[in-house]
Amino acid sequence: MKSERVDAAQNGRVARRDFLRVAGLGGLILSTGGIAYFRNRTRHSASPGQELGSLDPREAGNFTNPLKVPAGEGLLGIFEPSAPFTITSKVTDYSFVQGKESKFWVYEVTQQGKTYQNPILKLPKGGRVQASYRNQLGAESIIHWHGLRVDTENDGHPHHAIPPSATYDYDFTVLNRAAAYWYHPHPHGQTAQQVYFGLAGFMLVEDEEEQAFARALDLEPGTTDIPLLLQDRLFNNNGAVVYTVSINDYFMGILGDVLLVNNTITPYLDVDTRFYRFRVLNGSNSRNYRLAFLKGSDRLPFFVVGNDGGLLDKPYPATEVTIATAERLDLLVDLRNLEPGDVIFLKTLGVDLGPMGKQMHGMHTTGFGSEVEFFILKLNVKNRVTYDKVLPGHLSEIAPLDPAGASTRPITLSNSGFTQWTINGKQFRMTEYPIMVNRDATEIWEIKNVITSMPHPMHIHGYPFQVLERIDSPRSVRAQAVDEKGLLPSDKGWKDTVLVWPGETLRYVIDFRHPFPGEQIYLFHCHILEHEDGGMMINYKVV
Ligand code: C2O
Ligand code: CU
Ligand code: CU
């Protein structure tokens, strides 16, 4: 059995057949060679160290491309909707590699004579969003507003997916606090490839706390407050993104060997001697990054000031922090003690998955394994400037949810055979609701990753939660804990996605009260997109 190769060059008419063949694999693998398949490795993209050349993120000397930062219009333009707007998903061309063209799937918005691709949607808390989604892909799709508290009709559940040329109208109010949320497609079985080919964007929600913070540190979007969208990819030798799905990559999640940061390969950013804010969104299909700032081989301390649900109660000093797929981190780095001419790298350190994890990762046919270290962004210190702002000791008010009296819901992450990941033994069925929640309830979800092979970034639609405790964490995770409950700085505050490590049990609390009339249907799933498409997802209903 050969692995399937899906090329973005098919003008959006991407092989859904191929995908379903893989997605619906179930027991098929056992009848077509089973385990032997895993040893039969094939490579499609540039092999690590051989053909990557100037695209290789392990080579510091390659970081010569100016980072794409948000601008007035165009790709990653900041779009502040002032009226109802139309957002269209379509296939365009883009030059990721100089002199070469790739297909690039984008969301496009045109308003007041300006056109934006994958715009950074800037929304005030309490604002109304009236968006008409037009699907001009060759495949069905729907937009999900990841992290937003919206009713079921506006959530972009896969049962709302629309066919090519159809339109879906959204109308909701932004109830969330300020934070970096994001939007991406959510059609069942096709989310992974649609995100991979480019469909994803930031949503920056603003409120007064957030504005006060930006003022206190004199932060300006696009110059000193920089969104960083991290996406690892596989490219073919023609400079085009290819989505390569072998059965084992599908099981393990696809990993690339080229990194896009705001769609830029091997980027640099010129900086001055002051504070910089990086709002990191891990938009990768499956890779986790262990972020650190380095000057030579020395780690530069930084602060974790926010995550999925916005600012934390206070800045947490750190020298490394892990960001899983779909998570967001708000990092503040102090460059005041540096000199013009200094160079800093934002880097990912290798993620250690333990002996079993390593064995599993040996199954990858493409891309860098999670243990591979590479550079993300080069910071060139240019000018000495005077900067007299002071980092506030208190950032935001986090009212703790009260877990007293809440019932505990046990959730088990496991797998059946070598093909399917499961949640409480279930795989996704469009019209099955394995979890029913009372609309007045507060619940503790106790998620146990019983398989000691892979961490799973678990995401819930509809509600943010607060992490209570990490139990039996791997030693490398426990070493980063900032309290006796084993929480990491990135677990503080409000979350919508959280990484559950092999062997670990993680407890979080959710308040299911909501203002929407009637029953609400939402999803709970692993955000490794190949796992999600492969069925590591369940519906839950709030009644
Ligand atoms: Cu970001 Cu259901 O996903
Ligand atoms: Cu979501
Ligand atoms: Cu998973």
Side-chain angles (χ1 to χ4, degrees):
M1 175 142 189
K2 275 268 173 326
S3 53
E4 304 291 350
R5 172 171 165 163
V6 180
D7 230 298
Q10 293 163 353
N11 202 24
R13 263 162 260 287
V14 161
R16 178 170 159 83
R17 282 165 293 116
D18 293 351
F19 223 74
L20 291 179
R21 229 187 301 158
V22 176
L25 201 78
L28 188 63
I29 189 167
L30 299 172
S31 59
T32 57
I35 301 305
Y37 176 76
F38 294 112
R39 284 189 230 113
N40 182 13
R41 309 186 32 174
T42 50
R43 262 184 211 291
H44 295 277
S45 99
S47 310
Q50 288 170 28
E51 303 161 56
L52 281 174
S54 64
L55 311 184
D56 194 338
R58 295 168 303 181
E59 291 298 327
N62 283 340
F63 283 70
T64 55
N65 302 306
L67 176 73
K68 174 89 191 137
V69 292
E73 61 181 312
L75 181 58
L76 302 180
I78 297 178
F79 171 59
E80 298 189 58
S82 53
F85 63 96
T86 296
I87 180 164
T88 304
S89 57
K90 59 192 271 193
V91 179
T92 60
D93 292 307
Y94 191 71
S95 188
F96 294 102
V97 181
Q98 217 188 353
K100 297 181 174 179
E101 293 262 287
S102 175
K103 291 294 172 196
F104 183 36
W105 298 21
V106 295
Y107 290 110
E108 195 168 90
V109 173
T110 298
Q111 202 171 61
Q112 287 167 348
K114 289 184 176 168
T115 298
Y116 309 80
Q117 288 92 27
N118 289 347
I120 295 176
L121 294 180
K122 203 166 145 189
L123 305 166
K125 181 178 177 177
R128 183 172 176 192
V129 175
Q130 288 171 281
S132 180
Y133 168 51
R134 188 179 305 152
N135 180 12
Q136 285 183 2
L137 304 172
E140 66 167 23
S141 196
I142 191 72
I143 302 177
H144 168 58
W145 317 97
H146 180 122
L148 288 198
R149 292 191 59 203
V150 293
D151 66 303
T152 194
E153 296 299 311
N154 282 292
D155 192 49
H157 186 285
H159 76 252
H160 286 128
I162 54 169
S165 305
T167 296
Y168 191 93
D169 291 326
Y170 295 90
D171 188 350
F172 59 88
T173 300
V174 178
L175 302 175
N176 295 64
R177 66 203 296 269
Y181 303 96
W182 64 301
Y183 58 98
H184 62 75
H186 220 307
H188 186 48
Q190 301 183 76
T191 298
Q193 58 172 332
Q194 293 191 3
V195 172
Y196 202 84
F197 288 139
L199 292 168
F202 273 95
M203 275 186 295
L204 298 180
V205 173
E206 297 220 311
D207 64 12
E208 275 163 29
E209 239 173 17
E210 161 61 33
Q211 283 163 350
F213 176 73
R215 259 198 317 274
L217 290 172
D218 181 31
L219 298 167
E220 201 54 55
T223 55
T224 53
D225 175 347
I226 315 281
L228 294 178
L229 171 61
L230 308 185
Q231 299 173 305
D232 62 330
R233 292 288 180 265
L234 293 165
F235 280 83
N236 66 17
N237 292 331
N238 298 325
V241 172
V242 284
Y243 186 60
T244 308
V245 197
S246 68
I247 307 307
N248 37 355
D249 283 334
Y250 205 78
F251 185 59
M252 299 303 298
I254 196 103
L255 291 172
D257 52 19
V258 172
L259 184 68
L260 301 180
V261 186
N262 298 350
N263 306 297
T264 320
I265 297 171
T266 55
Y268 76 86
L269 180 72
D270 289 339
V271 293
D272 296 332
T273 57
R274 48 160 294 151
F275 274 114
Y276 281 80
R277 179 186 198 182
F278 295 101
R279 302 218 228 179
V280 189
L281 160 57
N282 183 352
S284 308
N285 280 33
S286 96
R287 182 180 299 278
N288 303 318
Y289 301 82
R290 198 175 133 215
L291 303 175
F293 290 91
L294 283 111
K295 183 182 175 208
S297 54
D298 296 335
R299 292 206 198 171
L300 198 71
F302 60 93
F303 296 96
V304 180
V305 294
N307 61 3
D308 304 351
L311 290 172
L312 304 179
D313 56 336
K314 60 178 188 193
Y316 288 83
T319 55
E320 65 172 79
V321 61
T322 295
I323 184 166
T325 295
E327 283 187 308
R328 285 84 69 208
L329 281 174
D330 196 339
L331 307 179
L332 206 61
V333 54
D334 181 359
L335 304 180
R336 285 176 300 180
N337 292 326
L338 296 172
E339 299 297 331
D342 282 347
V343 169
I344 303 295
F345 271 101
L346 173 62
K347 191 175 183 183
T348 178
L349 307 170
V351 178
D352 183 7
L353 297 178
M356 176 73 174
K358 270 195 201 99
Q359 214 181 324
M360 298 274 291
H361 262 271
M363 291 173 14
H364 275 288
T365 53
T366 46
F368 294 156
S370 64
E371 75 288 353
V372 176
E373 295 192 23
F374 55 85
F375 300 107
I376 293 173
L377 173 66
K378 183 185 188 186
L379 302 175
N380 294 319
V381 182
K382 285 293 179 192
N383 307 304
R384 170 147 295 287
V385 295
T386 38
Y387 181 78
D388 58 0
K389 306 294 187 217
V390 178
L391 176 59
H394 174 85
L395 301 179
S396 103
E397 219 42 71
I398 310 282
L401 293 179
D402 183 8
S407 56
T408 297
R409 188 179 289 278
I411 294 185
T412 301
L413 311 180
S414 184
N415 66 331
S416 76
F418 276 99
T419 54
Q420 295 182 324
W421 297 101
T422 58
I423 301 173
N424 283 350
K426 300 266 183 199
Q427 281 254 306
F428 184 67
R429 299 279 173 272
M430 195 68 86
T431 53
E432 249 180 47
Y433 310 96
I435 293 181
M436 303 284 239
V437 176
N438 190 295
R439 61 186 293 139
D440 298 320
T442 296
E443 292 195 2
I444 294 168
W445 286 24
E446 188 171 286
I447 306 176
K448 189 170 171 55
N449 182 349
V450 300
I451 297 296
T452 52
S453 57
M454 270 195 92
H456 297 279
M458 300 308 295
H459 169 54
I460 186 166
H461 289 213
Y463 300 88
F465 55 82
Q466 291 180 351
V467 181
L468 297 174
E469 192 172 9
R470 285 184 184 269
I471 303 160
D472 297 332
S473 307
R475 208 176 310 138
S476 58
V477 175
R478 188 74 199 192
Q480 300 298 322
V482 290
D483 65 20
E484 69 293 345
K485 296 289 187 191
L487 266 61
L488 312 172
S490 52
D491 292 330
K492 296 286 184 176
W494 293 98
K495 292 286 291 170
D496 57 55
T497 308
V498 71
L499 195 58
V500 188
W501 290 86
E504 197 179 41
T505 298
L506 186 139
R507 302 173 75 238
Y508 60 64
V509 58
I510 312 184
D511 177 353
F512 282 101
R513 281 177 301 173
H514 67 80
F516 312 120
E519 287 184 354
Q520 305 297 317
I521 293 165
Y522 296 114
L523 292 165
F524 173 62
H525 63 87
C526 178
H527 220 291
I528 291 177
L529 297 179
E530 286 75 24
H531 291 188
E532 174 184 331
D533 280 352
M536 194 180 187
M537 173 159 86
I538 54 175
N539 284 316
Y540 75 96
K541 204 185 259 190
V542 183
V543 296

